[in-house]
C-alpha cells in the first residue's frame, strides 16, 4: 500500500523543538506528524494510507468507539544507534500482539507489513524529535478505533488506524529508583474470559481508581490480584512482575488470559535464563510474596514494560501493613537486566537474539 504524503503547513520551529526535547519527560511532547489508514468493510478493507500533520480527528457523535469502546493500542519505542541510525525493538511482536488484541475486540486485523511500514514511516519522518537525554527515545503509539457512526451493539464496519510519536525521557519522574507498590484489595484488573490479555483502553480506565488509591497511600503503582480468589499476584497497572529468589529460581505469573503478554516480559525471560537462572511461569501468591521477602528467600522483585523498561520494586504496602524487598534498593539483577536490555536497544550491547530492526 502506498502512503500519500501531506506536507505540514507549519512544522515546529527548530529552536522550539530543541527546547521541548531537552527535557521531555514522558507522554506530553508530541512530534509534528501522524500516520492514518482507514478501514471500510464495504470498500474491501484497508485504504487511504497517508502521513501528514498531527491534528485533531473529526468524529461523528455516534462513532462506535464512543459508545461501545472498540479501541486497541500498542506501545513501542525507537532508539538512536551509535551510528546515528534509528532502530525498533522487536516490532514484529507488537504487530502480532496488536492483531491479537484486534481479534479479542472484534476488530479487523491489519497486515503486519502494513503495521510496520506505518510505524517506520512515522519514525523516519520525525526522527529529529529524538531527545538528546539519557534514556531518551521516541515512544510510538499505534492505535485503532471504531469510527462507524451507528447505535447498536455489534462490531463496527469502519475503523481508523493511527500512529503518533512522543519524545520521551524516563517514565518515572525521579528516574530509575525502586517503586513503592500498593496491593489493591477492592478492585481487579481483569477476570477469566475478559479482556485482560488485550491491550485495550478499557483495561487501563478500570485501573485509574485503584491507581489513585495507591497514590493516596503514598505509593507509586498498584498491583492487582486475581479476580477469583484474590490471592494470586497478577500484574501492575501497566507492567509485568518477576520474583528473583535466593535458590537461583525466578517466578513470573503465567499468561492465563488475564495478564498482558508483555514483550519486555518475554525478553527478560530469555535474558534471565541466559544468566543461568531457572525461570518458571507459575502462580505466586501475595502471602508468598510477603513471607519470602521477610525470610530472605526473595532477593528482588522486578517490574517491566515498554515505557519503564526494567524497574525494581522496593516496598509493598496494603491495609495489612508493609514489607520491603531486600534492602529496599536497586537489586543487582534488576540493574544488570536493565543495563543489558537498554544496551541492546541502543546498540551499546551486541544483539544476539535478532531483536533489533534498524530503520536507516
Amino acid at each position: 500500500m502506498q502512503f500519500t504524503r501531506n506536507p505540514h503547513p507549519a512544522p515546529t520551529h527548530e529552536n522550539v523543538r530543541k527546547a521541548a526535547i531537552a527535557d521531555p519527560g514522558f507522554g506530553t511532547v508530541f512530534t509534528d506528524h501522524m500516520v492514518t489508514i482507514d478501514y471500510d468493510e464495504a470498500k474491501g478493507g484497508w485504504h487511504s494510507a497517508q502521513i501528514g500533520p498531527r491534528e485533531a480527528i473529526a468524529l461523528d457523535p455516534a462513532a462506535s468507539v464512543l459508545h461501545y469502546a472498540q479501541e486497541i493500542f500498542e506501545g513501542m519505542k525507537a532508539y538512536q544507534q551509535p551510528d546515528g541510525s534509528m532502530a525498533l525493538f522487536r516490532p514484529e511482536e507488537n504487530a502480532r500482539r496488536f492483531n491479537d488484541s484486534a481479534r479479542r475486540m472484534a476488530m479487523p486485523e491489519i497486515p503486519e507489513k502494513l503495521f510496520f511500514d506505518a510505524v517506520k514511516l512515522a519514525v523516519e519522518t520525525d526522527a529529529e524529535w529524538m531527545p538528546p537525554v539519557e534514556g531518551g527515545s521516541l515512544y510510538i503509539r499505534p492505535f485503532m478505533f471504531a469510527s462507524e457512526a451507528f447505535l447498536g451493539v455489534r462490531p463496527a464496519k469502519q475503523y481508523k488506524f493511527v500512529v503518533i510519536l512522543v519524545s520521551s525521557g524516563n517514565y518515572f519522574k525521579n528516574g530509575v529508583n525502586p517503586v513503592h507498590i500498593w496491593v489493591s484489595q477492592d478492585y481487579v484488573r481483569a477476570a477469566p474470559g475478559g479482556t485482560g490479555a488485550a491491550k485495550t483502553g478499557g483495561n487501563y480506565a478500570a485501573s485509574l481508581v485503584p491507581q489513585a488509591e495507591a497514590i493516596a497511600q503514598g505509593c507509586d503503582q498498584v498491583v492487582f490480584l486475581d479476580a477469583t480468589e484474590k490471592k494470586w499476584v497478577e500484574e501492575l497497572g501497566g507492567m509485568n512482575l518477576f520474583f528473583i529468589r535466593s535458590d537461583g529460581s525466578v517466578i513470573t505469573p503465567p499468561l492465563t488470559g488475564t495478564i498482558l503478554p508483555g514483550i519486555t516480559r518475554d525478553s527478560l525471560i530469555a535474558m534471565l535464563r541466559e544468566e543461568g537462572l531457572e525461570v518458571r511461569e507459575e502462580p505466586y501468591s501475595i502471602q508468598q510474596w510477603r513471607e519470602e521477602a521477610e525470610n530472605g528467600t526473595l532477593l528482588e522483585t522486578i517490574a517491566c514494560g515498554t515505557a519503564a523498561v526494567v524497574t525494581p520494586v522496593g516496598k509493598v504496602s496494603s491495609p495489612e501493613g508493609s514489607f520491603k524487598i531486600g534492602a529496599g534498593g536497586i537489586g543487582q539483577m534488576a540493574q544488570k537486566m536493565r543495563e543489558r536490555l537498554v544496551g541492546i536497544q541502543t546498540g551499546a550491547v551486541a544483539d544476539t537474539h535478532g531483536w533489533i530492526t534498524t530503520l536507516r
Side-chain angles (χ1 to χ4, degrees), residues 80 127 146-147 180 225 258:
Q80 192 163 45
S147 56
H180 185 181
L225 305 180
T258 59

Side-chain angles (χ1 to χ4, degrees), residues 30-276:
F30 296 96
T31 69
D32 279 333
H33 297 86
M34 69 182 192
V35 173
T36 61
I37 311 174
D38 292 323
Y39 178 93
D40 192 324
E41 184 178 294
K43 294 181 180 180
W46 294 103
H47 66 94
S48 301
Q50 58 183 312
I51 184 167
R54 180 182 176 274
E55 59 187 4
I57 298 173
L59 276 181
D60 190 285
S64 180
V65 65
L66 302 177
H67 303 271
Y68 309 111
Q70 274 188 291
E71 182 273 346
I72 59 173
F73 66 96
E74 268 300 317
M76 314 168 59
K77 286 182 179 179
Y79 305 87
Q80 192 163 45
Q81 304 299 288
D83 63 359
S85 64
M86 301 289 282
L88 302 176
F89 181 73
R90 307 188 72 180
E92 70 284 351
E93 295 301 323
N94 291 100
R96 290 177 191 142
R97 188 171 66 179
F98 192 82
N99 282 334
D100 288 343
S101 296
R103 287 191 295 272
R104 179 62 185 86
M105 300 300 291
M107 302 170 75
E109 296 181 42
I110 185 168
E112 290 184 13
K113 185 179 185 305
L114 182 56
F115 178 99
F116 175 78
D117 287 346
V119 168
K120 179 176 183 288
L121 179 59
V123 171
E124 290 179 343
T125 301
D126 281 344
E128 61 189 3
W129 285 82
M130 174 67 71
V133 298
E134 183 178 356
S137 64
L138 285 179
Y139 183 83
I140 308 163
R141 174 51 58 87
F143 63 98
M144 175 168 56
F145 62 90
S147 56
E148 182 186 3
F150 77 98
L151 298 180
V153 183
R154 63 161 172 80
K157 297 179 181 180
Q158 296 170 349
Y159 297 85
K160 186 175 287 288
F161 173 83
V162 185
V163 181
I164 57 175
L165 305 179
V166 186
S167 295
S168 298
N170 286 317
Y171 182 71
F172 293 110
K173 293 181 181 179
N174 297 323
V176 185
N177 287 301
V179 293
H180 185 181
I181 302 300
W182 176 255
V183 182
S184 179
Q185 304 286 308
D186 300 321
Y187 302 96
V188 296
R189 178 186 172 275
T195 59
K199 202 165 178 65
T200 180
N203 291 342
Y204 294 81
S207 74
L208 297 179
V209 167
Q211 176 63 26
E213 182 182 76
I215 298 297
Q217 294 293 331
C219 299
D220 303 298
Q221 286 278 316
V222 61
V223 63
F224 293 101
L225 305 180
D226 73 290
T228 305
E229 298 181 75
K230 296 285 188 73
K231 65 180 285 189
W232 303 107
V233 178
E234 296 219 315
E235 64 172 284
L236 306 187
M239 291 183 279
N240 298 119
L241 287 169
F242 286 82
F243 304 95
I244 315 294
R245 305 168 79 234
S246 59
D247 64 357
S249 67
V250 180
I251 296 176
T252 189
L255 302 178
T256 57
T258 59
I259 294 176
L260 187 71
I263 295 166
T264 307
R265 173 189 182 274
D266 185 68
S267 304
L268 275 187
I269 289 175
M271 291 166 58
L272 288 165
R273 284 174 175 161
E274 289 173 352
E275 293 294 321

